Amino acid sequence: MGRPQLYERGKDINQEFADMIPVATPSIGEKELEYVCDAVKSGWISSQGKYVQQFEEQFAKYCGVRYGASVANGTVALHLALALLGIRRNDEVIIPALTYISVANAVAYTGAEPVFVDSDPYTWCINPDKIEEKINRNTKAIMPVHLYGHPAEMELIMEIAKRYGLYVIEDAAEAHGAEYKGKKVGSIGDIGVFSFYGNKIITTGEGGMILTNRQTWHERAQFLKNHAMSKDQRYFHSEVGFNYRLTNIQAALGLAQLERIDDFIEKKRKIAQTYNRLLGDLKGITLSPEASWCKNVFWMYSIIVEDGFGLSRNELMNRLSENGIETRPFFVCMHKQPPYASNLELPVAERLSARGINLPSSVNLKEEEIEFVCSVIRSFSA
Ligand SMILES: *Cc1c(COP(=O)(O)O)cnc(C)c1O
């Protein structure tokens, strides 16, 4: 089978990969243009304007949570969540070792210490059985991450948190709309955090959101993100706050994207089905999981390259690249990053990190592009 024609792609998206099948590009339609133009024309181009509140309310409603506070990106959403809970120096926060760097950095910004836990070999998320051994009197919170769109084992995590009096902040930056036992992720812990970066399930360019059912936390998030300015006295600041606000233009984009989220998720799940069908019988390839108790949104459809495959992970990525297919390696483990380096041994996270590949997963990916990707992978199998 030949290379699919991709001339129409990349004209306005990413010149560098104009000729490549990309890992993830956003889908921006007429509604997005309409709302964004409306926001720009209205003159409300900073953080005031009707779209900010609408986006907050609609996104919270979509997730089944009472309150939403929009922020400038997912990283500051994580930081603000920790800050509003009072997490600070000498505290410890439990996070998975295999995740994006934002999670560890957000903890570090507060002065607290991120404590790394190994991955579950099946879900690739934090292994709930490895959490308890990391808890001590300094532990204040657990931050599970719904990695690549697959929900973490929330029931077990909530149970541990309750037993030890810990907060749970869900990092749902990669899993908008994913469900754990029928509940949307981000609605289960004390606080749910989202990112709307360009490659996420829905995007505002840069952006983030904090969801909670507790009014006092929501109000504190809105207060801290606006320089902790007093409601009653302008330019009076009772503590050190932040400028973490989302703009009305970004919120307009987000609102239009939110109207299409069900289509995006359906498309992601269909892409996963196609990959599963075309790669399912390949020796030495483990596919993206979906536990029976959840709905995975397959933010990034991924494979693990096992020993039994013909090539190593990096060799396969190189071959795919030579064939015009962009991929990403799995995240580097937190305990292997210079700022957080330690000689901890977390074998499952390390193994996944060394062997995982994110395959092209854009919602605008064509069926024949998936077929092409799979045919290239198959051609290198032992
Ligand atoms: C993308 C992401 C974030 C941070 O989002 P930004 O908006 O890029 O700051 C946080 N956590 C995880 C797991 C992510 O994938």
Side-chain angles (χ1 to χ4, degrees):
M1 194 181 99
R3 266 295 302 285
Q5 295 295 300
L6 299 171
Y7 299 125
E8 70 274 41
R9 187 190 297 293
K11 271 196 206 114
D12 54 352
I13 296 181
N14 190 333
Q15 287 304 328
E16 192 187 343
F17 293 110
D19 233 15
M20 302 277 280
I21 300 177
V23 165
T25 51
S27 167
I28 308 294
E30 290 298 322
K31 216 31 174 286
E32 282 82 347
L33 287 179
E34 183 194 324
Y35 288 5
V36 167
C37 285
D38 182 54
V40 173
K41 285 179 190 161
S42 75
W44 296 103
I45 55 174
S46 290
S47 52
Q48 292 181 44
K50 66 176 183 185
Y51 287 108
V52 174
Q53 199 187 342
Q54 274 184 40
F55 182 47
E56 290 175 340
E57 285 174 4
Q58 292 304 315
F59 188 73
K61 190 174 163 201
Y62 171 78
C63 294
V65 181
R66 212 165 286 154
Y67 305 105
S70 61
V71 291
N73 59 62
T75 307
V76 302
L78 289 168
H79 178 216
L80 193 60
L82 292 160
L84 78 88
L85 294 173
I87 286 164
R88 58 196 164 106
R89 193 170 307 282
N90 297 325
D91 290 342
E92 293 183 12
V93 177
I94 290 175
I95 70 170
L98 182 65
T99 184
Y100 186 51
I101 195 75
S102 292
V103 191
N105 283 355
V107 177
Y109 300 159
T110 68
E113 191 190 330
V115 174
F116 310 128
V117 170
D118 205 358
S119 311
D120 179 296
Y122 179 70
T123 67
W124 306 344
C125 298
I126 193 168
N127 185 339
D129 298 335
K130 304 279 182 188
I131 292 176
E132 222 166 332
E133 65 201 54
K134 303 278 181 161
I135 295 174
N136 62 45
R137 67 207 314 184
N138 297 326
T139 310
K140 291 285 156 32
I142 308 171
M143 286 210 288
V145 177
H146 306 301
L147 199 72
Y148 302 130
H150 192 291
E153 270 262 24
M154 288 308 294
E155 219 164 68
L156 298 176
I157 294 166
M158 296 306 289
E159 217 172 85
I160 295 166
K162 195 168 171 201
R163 195 155 1 111
Y164 290 92
L166 309 175
Y167 296 119
V168 174
I169 301 170
E170 286 178 75
D171 183 340
E174 305 181 354
H176 318 56
E179 291 175 17
Y180 176 85
K181 298 191 175 171
K183 279 189 186 154
K184 291 251 175 20
V185 300
S187 73
I188 302 158
D190 295 292
I191 294 179
V193 167
F194 291 83
S195 163
F196 306 115
Y197 185 70
N199 64 8
K200 299 296 163 86
I201 305 252
I202 62 169
T203 183
T204 60
E206 296 272 3
M209 186 89 78
I210 290 179
L211 301 186
T212 181
N213 283 314
R214 199 180 291 197
Q215 190 181 358
T216 50
W217 287 344
H218 172 66
E219 284 169 359
R220 189 154 170 75
Q222 298 288 32
F223 169 72
L224 284 176
K225 88 179 197 199
N226 189 27
H227 283 305
M229 185 157 79
S230 165
K231 258 197 216 151
D232 310 316
Q233 190 183 353
R234 207 164 178 89
Y235 305 126
F236 182 76
H237 310 266
S238 53
E239 58 189 294
V240 178
F242 316 99
N243 175 359
Y244 281 176
R245 299 174 306 243
L246 188 78
T247 69
N248 196 45
I249 302 173
Q250 292 168 313
L253 183 53
L255 191 67
Q257 288 265 292
L258 185 58
E259 291 177 10
R260 302 170 61 203
I261 192 168
D262 290 334
D263 289 343
F264 292 160
I265 290 170
E266 206 182 296
K267 189 72 208 293
K268 292 270 191 195
R269 288 182 57 80
K270 217 169 147 244
I271 290 170
Q273 272 175 18
T274 306
Y275 275 125
N276 282 343
R277 178 164 52 79
L278 297 175
L279 297 175
D281 63 331
L282 262 192
K283 208 171 128 251
I285 295 286
T286 300
L287 308 175
S288 273
E290 183 174 46
S292 59
W293 37 260
C294 78
K295 176 180 177 181
N296 188 350
V297 288
F298 298 99
W299 171 56
M300 291 274 180
Y301 188 89
S302 307
I303 56 173
I304 309 296
V305 184
E306 312 286 1
D307 279 335
F309 191 71
L311 299 177
S312 74
R313 189 270 303 268
N314 290 351
E315 286 166 346
L316 179 58
M317 285 182 67
N318 287 338
R319 295 296 96 79
L320 287 165
S321 175
E322 287 162 14
N323 281 278
I325 298 161
E326 193 200 359
T327 59
R328 296 280 158 80
F330 269 24
F331 297 123
V332 174
C333 289
M334 292 306 106
H335 61 296
K336 303 291 180 190
Q337 307 276 3
Y340 307 110
S342 79
N343 48 18
L344 269 179
E345 282 180 23
L346 302 170
V348 179
E350 288 166 27
R351 206 183 130 266
L352 294 169
S353 169
R355 292 170 176 273
I357 303 181
N358 304 129
L359 295 179
S361 303
S362 305
V363 292
N364 40 29
L365 200 63
K366 298 186 189 87
E367 181 91 2
E368 59 268 30
E369 289 176 316
I370 306 175
E371 285 167 7
F372 177 65
V373 172
C374 293
S375 73
V376 173
I377 294 172
R378 294 192 79 88
S379 73
F380 292 107
S381 76

